[in-house]
Amino acid sequence: MSSTESPSAPAASVLPRVAPVRVGDGERLRTVGLPGVTLSVRHRPPAREDLPRALYVHGLGGSSQNWSDLMAELDDVVAGEAVDLPGFGDSPPPDDGDYSVTGHARAVIRYLDASGHGPVHLFGNSLGGAVTTRVAAVRPDLVRTLTLISPALPELRIQRTAVPTGLLGVPGVAALFTRMSKEWTAEQRVRGVMGLCYGDPGRVTPEAFGQAVEELERRLQLPYFWDAMARSARGIVNAYTLGGQHGLWRQAERVLAPTLLVYGGRDQLVGYRMARKAARSFRDSRLLSLPDAGHVAMMEYPGVVARAFRELMAQAGGDGGADAGGGADASDKDDASRDDASRDDGNKDDGNRDDDSTETGGRGAADGTEAGS
């Protein structure tokens, strides 16, 4: 199946009643109906009305909740919104059943076009990184800056720990895994996912762990949960095989927006070694290396990621730079190794990999279902 093929859609018109999605302090949730798709959007009321807009896109098995900490860190410089991709979080499946990278990108573009908020500061993690790369390449008019955290871009040598995620996309594997794991508790599942996604799972608070378990229990009641996971995983694999102008690395070269790349040294799903290739491919890029971070740096070190984004805004002549919170001062730079890696300077060393364990971020926990990119 190609990444643009539309598989038969599961019936989504009648869904079981499940517990409501958790909404954090200061957050609001709304539903937006668009042609062919209905999206749940999490947002925080902006500190003031004239702030530029930002849109956050989560990874496979994640949801808009993955961005709550970073949104809170940046609510004085951007008016942030985090979308639940179709079939994830509180968004129902797409009408056409298309969970490809292109399908998810189409949903994001439809939302931005309908909202009239573009160009926005666009953020993407993992699968969301592939989706937002495609959005930035094909619709540069919608993107002011691009921030990619462990983006799921093609790798020739996949890490062994990432193989099970790719296998989810093989027809029948998701159903087999469901049968094999039917006795697993939600706590066991969440603990396994955190061990895979976090550089140090010990950073997750008991409260955040409990919230992740609660959210997973809610999602497991949805009849389309595993279908959305399997088809989206297949979409990533298919996107990895595309060549020519539709290839993700070729599209990365077409991105015009200033780009912040964030890679974790302990990422078990996206290879840390890909940071240099990404820095060479995105023509106007800056690299933030977090040696102790895993796959979800915005949840593990939201303060560090927020400071790097403020610097991106300031360097890009963005709205809100120094006057609305400023870039990081010299002391902030001790928290992580930073490389200003433009396309012409992408071969330089990835940084000194300084210890960033003193950063106090990482209040949240993965939703308990992000089992891959």
Side-chain angles (χ1 to χ4, degrees):
M1 180 184 296
S2 73
S3 66
T4 56
E5 181 179 343
S6 299
S8 58
S13 57
V14 180
L15 298 177
R17 295 179 63 86
V18 297
V21 169
R22 180 180 176 276
V23 181
D25 293 340
E27 295 181 341
R28 297 176 183 174
L29 205 63
R30 72 178 189 277
T31 299
V32 179
L34 300 167
V37 69
T38 298
L39 299 178
S40 177
V41 181
R42 183 180 304 266
H43 71 286
R44 299 179 65 88
R48 61 177 197 271
E49 292 301 321
D50 62 340
L51 290 180
R53 299 281 181 162
L55 186 68
Y56 303 83
V57 184
H58 63 80
L60 177 65
S63 76
S64 59
Q65 294 183 56
N66 292 30
W67 297 101
S68 290
D69 284 350
L70 187 60
M71 279 203 297
E73 291 279 353
L74 293 174
D75 65 0
D76 61 329
V77 292
V78 293
E81 296 182 322
V83 64
D84 285 330
L85 290 173
F88 295 96
D90 207 33
S91 293
D95 290 353
D96 61 2
D98 186 355
Y99 290 100
S100 67
V101 171
T102 297
H104 286 311
R106 187 181 301 119
V108 171
I109 289 171
R110 285 177 180 171
Y111 174 70
L112 289 174
D113 277 338
S115 69
H117 293 162
V120 300
H121 296 285
L122 191 59
F123 293 73
N125 169 234
S126 196
L127 164 64
V131 169
T132 53
T133 294
R134 184 151 290 175
V135 171
V138 302
R139 288 294 304 274
D141 57 305
L142 295 177
V143 184
R144 191 183 301 268
T145 67
L146 180 63
T147 297
L148 302 176
I149 301 171
S150 294
L153 300 176
E155 301 182 42
L156 291 178
R157 292 188 296 115
I158 304 296
Q159 298 183 101
R160 286 183 299 174
T161 46
V163 170
T165 300
L167 289 177
L168 271 180
V170 177
V173 170
L176 176 62
F177 179 76
T178 302
R179 291 195 298 271
M180 292 176 57
S181 63
K182 64 181 180 179
E183 302 300 326
W184 295 5
T185 66
E187 289 84 354
Q188 289 173 317
R189 295 174 189 268
V190 170
R191 194 167 288 111
V193 169
M194 288 181 175
L196 188 64
C197 291
Y198 278 72
D200 177 11
R203 295 177 66 86
V204 181
T205 66
E207 179 185 12
F209 180 84
Q211 292 170 356
V213 170
E214 179 182 302
E215 172 61 11
L216 178 57
E217 290 174 336
R218 184 191 71 83
R219 288 200 215 175
L220 287 172
Q221 298 178 55
L222 298 171
Y224 55 82
F225 171 77
W226 283 112
D227 187 66
M229 287 286 291
R231 291 180 185 272
S232 292
R234 192 178 310 161
I236 296 173
V237 173
N238 288 339
Y240 275 29
T241 65
L242 286 178
Q245 64 178 343
H246 299 296
L248 285 169
W249 285 115
R250 180 69 63 83
Q251 292 193 322
E253 294 174 352
R254 292 166 51 190
V255 172
L256 301 177
T259 302
L260 171 63
L261 302 165
V262 184
Y263 281 82
R266 296 182 180 177
D267 194 333
Q268 299 182 64
L269 297 167
V270 169
Y272 183 77
R273 65 184 178 276
M274 301 305 295
R276 286 190 176 186
K277 179 175 178 60
R280 291 193 298 269
S281 298
F282 290 89
R283 65 180 68 191
D284 183 6
S285 67
R286 297 124 180 99
L287 175 63
L288 170 61
S289 300
L290 294 173
D292 291 333
H295 191 60
V296 287
M298 72 287 189
M299 302 170 73
E300 300 173 88
Y301 299 98
V304 175
V305 175
R307 284 195 292 273
F309 172 72
R310 291 171 186 266
E311 291 176 356
L312 175 70
M313 289 184 72
Q315 293 169 2
D319 335 82
D323 293 336
D329 60 28
S331 63
D332 289 333
K333 295 184 181 180
D334 292 334
D335 287 321
S337 167
R338 284 177 173 80
D339 293 327
D340 287 332
S342 66
R343 190 182 182 191
D344 295 331
D345 198 21
N347 285 313
K348 68 171 127 180
D349 184 63
D350 282 341
N352 296 324
R353 297 173 64 90
D354 294 334
D355 182 13
D356 55 4
S357 60
T358 56
E359 168 60 35
T360 57
R363 295 186 297 272
D367 285 342
T369 51
E370 173 141 353
S373 299

